[in-house]
């Protein structure tokens, strides 16, 4: 007697799960590093580079808000600190290339005593690069230590974050001779020895931004699935229970807040060569809310959702604000209300919501039939 054994060709669920994430990153790399540069013009690619900078901020928002429950409405502060740190170095480098000791705007406005002392260290490229990340993280660590130790959370934490963003923007506007005032720092000509007027170098900047985004997404993914990520969720859902188990929730939240600040600072630093400007208008209350809206619309608990949401909202802002300048702000606010109030998980959770509704409808139908 011959026995025939049928072997299933369907891969195990565990195998699919194992390769799902690497395949997703590979697809993202192909789209960002291969398809986009081939399909988009130089102008469109520069716009995409700008949107990817917002997506980097959204990665940090997904960690701090999506996992940790921290309503970070002040990310514009850290975005601005990183952006100004990079812009200060680029302005000093441009001045040195022309034989000057002062940036062009300081020559126009006049500082009175030459180059300010706190500008001088930024002439060193290594120091400037380090400060784009370390300065935002240091400010976040100082603020977060006092806020979280006093158990400030919820709406109070969000209001405090907004106040910090407003204060920084007001201070920058008032320091016209040293920060450029309302205009900010503009017209950067070079980027570490490369001319930003060259389209080839602009594409290089895009590739740098895309690679940084993918690397930070990989880092955030590792944090999500690590023991710390589970602890962060536990703090979000039941802070008192975590404290009872012997952990300090303030420290857990502080780590997420500082990492998110570092990501925002790095995004601001990359934004400067991509766009050529950093100003108070880009780091105040409205931009800070915009960072959160992008993550909320896409899905703050999902890395891919937060990134795609940030890109989509930034694209909509560039497109719709030109056509409807007066109505865009209201539409932006409406998006946030709808996402938080009616779809808390964002568009990334839409499939789950629909499946649950279909399952609920099916259960109700079966129950009705059995009763009848």
């Amino acid at each position: 007697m011959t026995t025939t054994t049928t072997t299933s060709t369907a891969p195990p669920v565990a195998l699919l799960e194992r390769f799902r994430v690497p395949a997703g990153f590979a697809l993202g790399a192909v789209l960002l590093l291969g398809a986009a540069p081939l399909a988009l013009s130089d102008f469109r690619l520069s716009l995409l580079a700008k949107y990817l900078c917002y997506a980097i901020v959204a990665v940090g928002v997904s960690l701090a808000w999506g996992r940790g429950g921290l309503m970070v409405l002040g990310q514009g502060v850290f975005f601005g600190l990183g952006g100004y740190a990079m812009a200060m170095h680029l302005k000093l480098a441009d001045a040195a290339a022309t034989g000057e000791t002062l940036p062009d705007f300081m020559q126009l406005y006049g500082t009175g005593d030459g180059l300010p002392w706190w500008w001088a260290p930024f002439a060193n490229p290594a120091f400037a690069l380090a400060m784009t990340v370390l300065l935002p993280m240091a400010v976040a660590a100082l603020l977060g230590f006092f806020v979280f130790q006093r158990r400030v959370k919820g709406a109070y934490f969000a209001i405090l974050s907004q106040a910090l963003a407003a204060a920084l923007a007001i201070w920058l506007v008032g320091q016209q001779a040293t920060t450029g005032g309302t205009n900010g720092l503009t017209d950067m000509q070079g980027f570490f020895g490369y001319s930003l007027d060259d389209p080839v170098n602009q594409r290089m900047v895009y590739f740098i931004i895309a690679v940084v985004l993918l690397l930070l997404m990989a880092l955030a993914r590792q944090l999500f699935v690590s023991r710390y990520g589970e602890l962060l969720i536990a703090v979000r859902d039941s802070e008192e229970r975590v404290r009872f188990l012997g952990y300090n929730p303030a420290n857990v939240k502080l780590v997420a807040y500082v990492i998110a600040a570092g990501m925002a600072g790095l995004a601001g630093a990359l934004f400067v060569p991509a766009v050529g400007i950093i100003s108070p208008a880009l780091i105040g209350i409205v931009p800070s809310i915009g960072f959160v809206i992008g993550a909320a619309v896409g899905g703050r608990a999902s890395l891919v959702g937060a990134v795609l949401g940030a890109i989509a909202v930034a694209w909509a802002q560039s497109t719709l604000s030109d056509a409807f300048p007066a109505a865009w702000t209201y539409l932006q606010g409406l998006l946030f209300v709808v996402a938080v109030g009616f779809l808390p998980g964002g568009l990334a959770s839409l499939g789950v919501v629909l499946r649950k509704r279909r399952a609920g409808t099916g259960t109700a139908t079966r129950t009705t039939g059995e009763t009848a």
Side-chain angles (χ1 to χ4, degrees), residues 12-39:
V13 175
L15 190 61
L16 287 175
E17 286 296 319
R18 180 180 177 183
F19 289 101
R20 181 175 60 87
V21 174
F25 276 102
L27 177 60
V30 169
L31 291 175
L32 291 177
L33 303 177
L38 291 175

Side-chain angles (χ1 to χ4, degrees), residues 253-343:
K253 292 190 288 187
L254 180 61
V255 171
Y257 188 53
V258 170
I259 292 175
M263 291 182 179
L266 185 56
L270 294 172
F271 181 87
V272 171
V275 181
I277 183 175
I278 188 71
S279 70
L282 296 169
I283 65 176
I285 293 178
V286 175
S288 295
I289 295 176
F291 292 143
V292 174
I293 290 175
V297 170
R300 63 181 185 268
S302 166
L303 272 177
V304 176
V307 167
L308 294 180
I311 295 173
V313 170
W315 173 83
Q317 181 177 5
S318 298
T319 304
L320 299 180
S321 61
D322 292 337
F324 309 100
W328 165 247
T329 303
Y330 298 102
L331 178 60
Q332 192 178 40
L334 180 62
L335 282 174
F336 185 63
V337 171
V338 169
V340 174
F342 300 97
L343 197 62

Side-chain angles (χ1 to χ4, degrees), residues 108-364:
L108 177 62
Y109 299 135
T111 60
D113 298 320
L115 188 69
W117 65 267
W118 49 278
W119 267 75
F122 288 92
N124 186 305
F127 178 85
L129 281 174
M131 286 299 101
T132 60
V133 177
L134 295 181
L135 183 58
M137 293 178 75
V139 172
L142 182 62
L143 176 66
F145 175 79
F146 291 105
V147 169
F148 298 137
Q149 288 295 335
R150 292 182 174 273
R151 303 186 185 181
V152 177
K153 55 186 177 179
Y156 300 102
F157 175 73
I159 292 172
L160 184 60
S161 300
Q162 287 279 272
L164 183 62
L168 178 61
I170 293 171
W171 181 82
L172 290 170
V173 169
Q175 304 298 314
Q176 186 171 13
T178 55
T179 65
T182 305
N183 295 328
L185 303 181
T186 63
D187 195 27
M188 269 63 77
Q189 300 297 317
F191 181 63
F192 295 96
Y194 295 92
S195 173
L196 290 175
D197 292 331
D198 189 341
V200 175
N201 294 335
Q202 280 290 343
R203 283 184 168 251
M204 178 188 69
V205 171
Y206 165 80
F207 282 117
I208 292 173
I209 295 172
V211 169
V212 169
L213 173 62
L214 291 172
L215 290 177
L216 290 181
M217 288 182 68
L219 173 62
R221 167 70 183 177
Q222 288 302 113
L223 289 174
F224 279 16
V225 299
S226 68
R227 183 177 180 181
Y228 170 76
E230 296 177 356
L231 187 58
L232 188 60
I233 294 175
V235 170
R236 179 196 66 190
D237 295 340
S238 182
E239 185 172 326
E240 292 302 324
R241 183 173 296 179
V242 171
R243 184 177 289 107
F244 177 76
L245 292 175
Y247 295 96
N248 187 348
N251 294 337
V252 177
K253 292 190 288 187
L254 180 61
V255 171
Y257 188 53
V258 170
I259 292 175
M263 291 182 179
L266 185 56
L270 294 172
F271 181 87
V272 171
V275 181
I277 183 175
I278 188 71
S279 70
L282 296 169
I283 65 176
I285 293 178
V286 175
S288 295
I289 295 176
F291 292 143
V292 174
I293 290 175
V297 170
R300 63 181 185 268
S302 166
L303 272 177
V304 176
V307 167
L308 294 180
I311 295 173
V313 170
W315 173 83
Q317 181 177 5
S318 298
T319 304
L320 299 180
S321 61
D322 292 337
F324 309 100
W328 165 247
T329 303
Y330 298 102
L331 178 60
Q332 192 178 40
L334 180 62
L335 282 174
F336 185 63
V337 171
V338 169
V340 174
F342 300 97
L343 197 62
L347 295 177
S349 67
L350 189 59
V352 177
V353 172
L354 292 177
R355 283 196 298 270
K356 286 183 177 180
R357 289 188 176 180
R358 283 198 297 266
T361 303
T363 301

Side-chain angles (χ1 to χ4, degrees), residues 87-100 102-104 186-191 194 196:
M88 289 164 66
H89 170 72
L90 297 185
K91 295 299 290 184
L92 289 173
D94 289 345
T98 59
E100 300 288 345
L102 295 178
D104 50 5
T186 63
D187 195 27
M188 269 63 77
Q189 300 297 317
F191 181 63
Y194 295 92
L196 290 175

